[in-house]
Amino acid sequence: MPTIVYYVSGHGFGHARRTAQVLRTLASLRPDVDVIVRTSAPAWLFDGIERTTVSVPAQVFDPGVVERDTLNLDPAASVRRLGAFLQHRVEIVSAEYRLLRDAGASLVVADIPFLAADAAESAGLPSVAVGNFTWDWIYEPFVMPDTRWLIESIRASYGKVEALLQLPLGHEVAGFRRVIPVPLLASKARNARAATLARLGLDPQEFRPRVLIAMRGGLDERALRHAASRSPGALFLTPQPIDDPSLNLRPIDSRLVEFTDLLAACDAVVSKLGYGILSDCIANNVALLFPPRSGFREDEISRQVCPRYLRMRELPAADFVAGRWDLHLDALLGQPPPPEQLATDGDLVIARYLADHV
């Protein structure tokens, strides 16, 4: 049986969730293909995908960036961690070479750990990358002249990739042998809104706009209560276990439904920027209210490009932490539909490419 080894960044859930969408589609196109996902992201994100297994590399395979908190990066710590990571490059690649050999791998795919290309080269295998940004571009503003070699090292690895399947909402790239633009890769709801709401114990006929709280790590409970109290005309849904008698703040058990089904059952979501939430909001027509982040270079592109395809509004940091969301939420929900649309069948285009090249 042909086997794909798919390396997925564990930095947040976005890379894993979009990979899972590709693998579901690939399983329908090529039920004869086995997939081994190598990631530190939770294995349950890939539950139910045929012929797919998940394993965690023994050593860190993708250093990502260091976050001070949900909304702020630590650039200096990120560079130090990257440098320490690259000191173990040879042993990491050697371990993955053995895995690729023992698995009988036919193709290596990365979203978008750069050492996957080194591992593929060592095993004599072709490699493909999938992403809207690359790690050299993310780290570039953080390095100084004496650490510039880190960026060049990452680019040398990416230069071994046969093709980058580049998603929208990204940046100009260089150094890849081929760059193939592909449509937006987004998760789409698999169940009807009414069925999702009923499963959560909510009335599908509820007239108030539903606002999902999707902040990894949760929110200060006082801010959340205050935000709900200032917007009595909205229904706030949160996975946090809040015991609140108010009628418009509901704790929900997010384990009962897929995240995308939950998102699609809402009118708006409060979340930080990121490819995963942006693409899912575009695909499922959900408005986005977001607090600003510091140090996340990709947010510059998101702010400029995404309003063409998505109703979105920034929630100033001071108002976010204080729970003063009402004016911003009202303005967001009052926005007209976005002026443009994006094709959202990236999973099919990418899956077809992999099916043809495995």
Side-chain angles (χ1 to χ4, degrees):
M1 291 292 183
T3 299
I4 293 175
V5 178
Y6 211 129
Y7 291 89
V8 182
S9 174
H11 185 71
F13 287 179
H15 297 271
R17 290 186 61 248
R18 71 190 188 190
T19 297
Q21 187 73 9
V22 170
L23 296 183
R24 290 188 190 97
T25 305
L26 178 64
S28 67
L29 297 176
R30 288 288 303 270
D32 62 315
V33 173
D34 290 326
V35 179
I36 300 171
V37 177
R38 297 284 278 168
T39 187
S40 59
W44 57 261
L45 291 167
F46 300 90
D47 282 353
I49 304 175
E50 295 294 327
R51 306 187 70 88
T52 295
T53 59
V54 181
S55 63
V56 181
Q59 293 179 279
V60 173
F61 196 83
D62 185 22
V65 291
V66 178
E67 297 182 15
R68 293 194 182 100
D69 53 48
T70 304
L71 299 175
N72 295 281
L73 285 187
D74 188 327
S78 296
V79 171
R80 288 195 299 271
R81 186 161 76 179
L82 174 62
F85 166 76
L86 285 174
Q87 290 180 2
H88 299 281
R89 179 185 205 128
V90 172
E91 60 192 274
I92 293 171
V93 171
S94 296
E96 296 308 312
Y97 159 76
R98 291 190 293 272
L99 179 135
L100 295 172
R101 179 197 61 194
D102 294 345
S106 311
L107 176 67
V108 171
V109 187
D111 186 346
I112 188 170
F114 50 91
L115 285 192
D118 296 83
E121 182 186 59
S122 71
L125 297 172
S127 59
V128 177
V130 178
N132 61 310
F133 70 79
T134 56
W135 283 115
D136 58 304
W137 183 80
I138 293 293
Y139 287 115
E140 192 171 29
F142 305 159
V143 301
M144 304 298 286
D146 62 331
T147 53
R148 179 73 191 179
W149 67 272
L150 297 171
I151 302 301
E152 301 307 325
S153 180
I154 295 173
R155 288 178 179 166
S157 293
Y158 282 144
K160 301 171 183 178
V161 172
E162 303 256 333
L164 168 66
L165 306 182
Q166 190 178 30
L167 300 165
L169 315 183
H171 57 91
E172 291 187 10
V173 296
F176 289 89
R177 299 178 190 179
R178 293 180 65 200
V179 177
I180 303 172
V182 297
L184 195 71
L185 172 49
S187 299
K188 305 177 189 70
R190 289 186 280 169
N191 291 288
R193 173 180 281 204
T196 298
L197 294 172
R199 189 169 180 82
L200 293 170
L202 299 172
D203 182 3
Q205 302 301 318
E206 170 65 60
F207 66 92
R208 292 177 291 182
R210 286 176 288 273
V211 180
L212 176 63
I213 310 301
M215 295 292 300
R216 181 163 51 92
L219 285 176
D220 179 82
E221 189 170 318
R222 291 170 299 179
L224 184 51
R225 290 177 185 272
H226 190 55
S229 70
R230 291 175 66 105
S231 296
L235 180 62
F236 290 82
L237 307 180
T238 175
Q240 292 178 229
I242 295 177
D243 182 15
D244 194 296
S246 68
L247 296 178
N248 73 322
L249 178 59
R250 304 278 182 85
I252 55 171
D253 187 348
S254 57
R255 297 169 298 180
L256 295 175
V257 297
E258 292 282 344
F259 174 79
T260 309
D261 287 341
L262 173 58
L263 176 72
C266 294
D267 301 281
V269 59
V270 179
S271 178
K272 64 179 185 178
L273 290 179
Y275 179 92
I277 195 67
L278 285 164
S279 59
D280 289 358
C281 283
I282 291 170
N284 295 282
N285 192 27
V286 178
L288 173 65
L289 187 65
F290 64 94
R293 301 196 297 183
S294 173
F296 292 82
R297 192 180 187 188
E298 62 268 36
D299 288 3
E300 301 168 14
I301 294 176
S302 300
R303 285 191 178 95
Q304 294 173 17
V305 175
C306 290
R308 288 159 33 193
Y309 315 109
L310 171 68
R311 292 178 298 149
M312 58 187 292
R313 182 181 175 90
E314 183 170 322
L315 177 56
D319 290 341
F320 171 66
V321 298
R324 296 189 297 265
W325 302 359
D326 48 323
L327 296 180
H328 306 287
L329 181 59
D330 289 346
L332 173 68
L333 293 174
Q335 287 183 15
E340 300 179 45
Q341 291 185 329
L342 270 178
T344 58
D345 59 343
D347 59 313
L348 180 59
V349 173
I350 294 168
R352 282 176 174 164
Y353 184 94
L354 301 183
D356 290 342
H357 289 79
V358 63

